[in-house]
Amino acid sequence: MAFITKEEMKSVIRENHLDSIIDDDDTIVVMAINSGISEVKSRLTPGTTKEWFDGRPRYDADAIFAASCTNRHPLILEITKVVALWWLIIRANAGVYYEEVRQRYDRGMDFIKDLATGEANDATLPREATDPVEEDPDLMPFRMGSRPKFHHE
């Protein structure tokens, strides 16, 4: 089963508006959903530079989007629907309030960025199994400080 289906988009767009945008072509909805999933997944996937190994949570994006039915994280699910709607609304905005969708998209992306950078945290999301910092000490972020004070005695 896909992470999001066309029928589940009802929570972010009315069915008649969706049908007028896609012109009875379900592949358009599938492409928009896949684009939304790709965007959110790319924001949650940690980078490979040293900055990403500073102790912030590293989420397993593949496991998050492999979940189905009730195992899906509800907030990530709704944000991904809004992002998919953003990709869909580019095609046509028949009866859809563009400004409202843009604001919801911006808020959702801000939350995803905060989640990825560690400013927001969610213990229910799956984390990566291995922590490369423990395996390679060269990946540790640099440490700053001073030497102990020297006294002439």
Side-chain angles (χ1 to χ4, degrees):
M1 181 182 163
F3 186 71
I4 300 173
T5 61
K6 176 187 172 190
E7 292 76 28
E8 293 176 322
M9 292 294 288
K10 287 188 256 185
S11 66
V12 294
I13 186 172
R14 292 186 178 171
E15 194 170 354
N16 60 337
H17 292 162
L18 180 63
D19 290 337
S20 68
I21 291 172
I22 64 170
D23 296 328
D24 297 323
D25 187 2
D26 290 345
T27 59
I28 295 171
V29 176
V30 171
M31 288 188 303
I33 288 171
N34 289 339
S35 297
I37 289 171
S38 294
E39 184 173 355
V40 174
K41 192 175 192 179
S42 70
R43 305 255 182 179
L44 285 176
T45 303
T48 57
T49 58
K50 285 186 181 182
E51 296 90 41
W52 283 95
F53 300 106
D54 62 355
R56 70 182 87 181
R58 297 170 50 90
Y59 298 104
D60 188 356
D62 292 329
I64 292 170
F65 290 100
S68 60
C69 299
T70 59
N71 296 330
R72 299 174 295 183
H73 190 275
L75 184 56
I76 298 295
L77 177 65
E78 288 302 313
I79 289 173
T80 307
K81 287 180 192 178
V82 169
V83 174
L85 177 61
W86 179 256
W87 285 100
L88 192 62
I89 204 171
I90 292 170
R91 188 166 190 277
N93 59 356
V96 179
Y97 299 108
Y98 174 80
E99 197 60 33
E100 181 182 332
V101 173
R102 185 186 63 77
Q103 289 172 357
R104 288 169 46 191
Y105 171 83
D106 289 342
R107 284 194 304 269
M109 283 296 98
D110 287 343
F111 176 75
I112 294 295
K113 287 177 189 175
D114 289 346
L115 198 60
T117 59
E119 290 181 33
N121 196 0
D122 194 334
T124 61
L125 290 173
R127 305 268 175 113
E128 285 189 343
T130 60
D131 189 10
V133 173
E134 294 173 4
E135 297 170 6
D136 188 1
D138 291 336
L139 292 177
M140 293 289 290
F142 68 91
R143 182 176 171 264
M144 291 181 54
S146 60
R147 301 184 75 138
K149 188 164 183 119
F150 179 75
H151 297 285
H152 293 281
E153 293 181 1

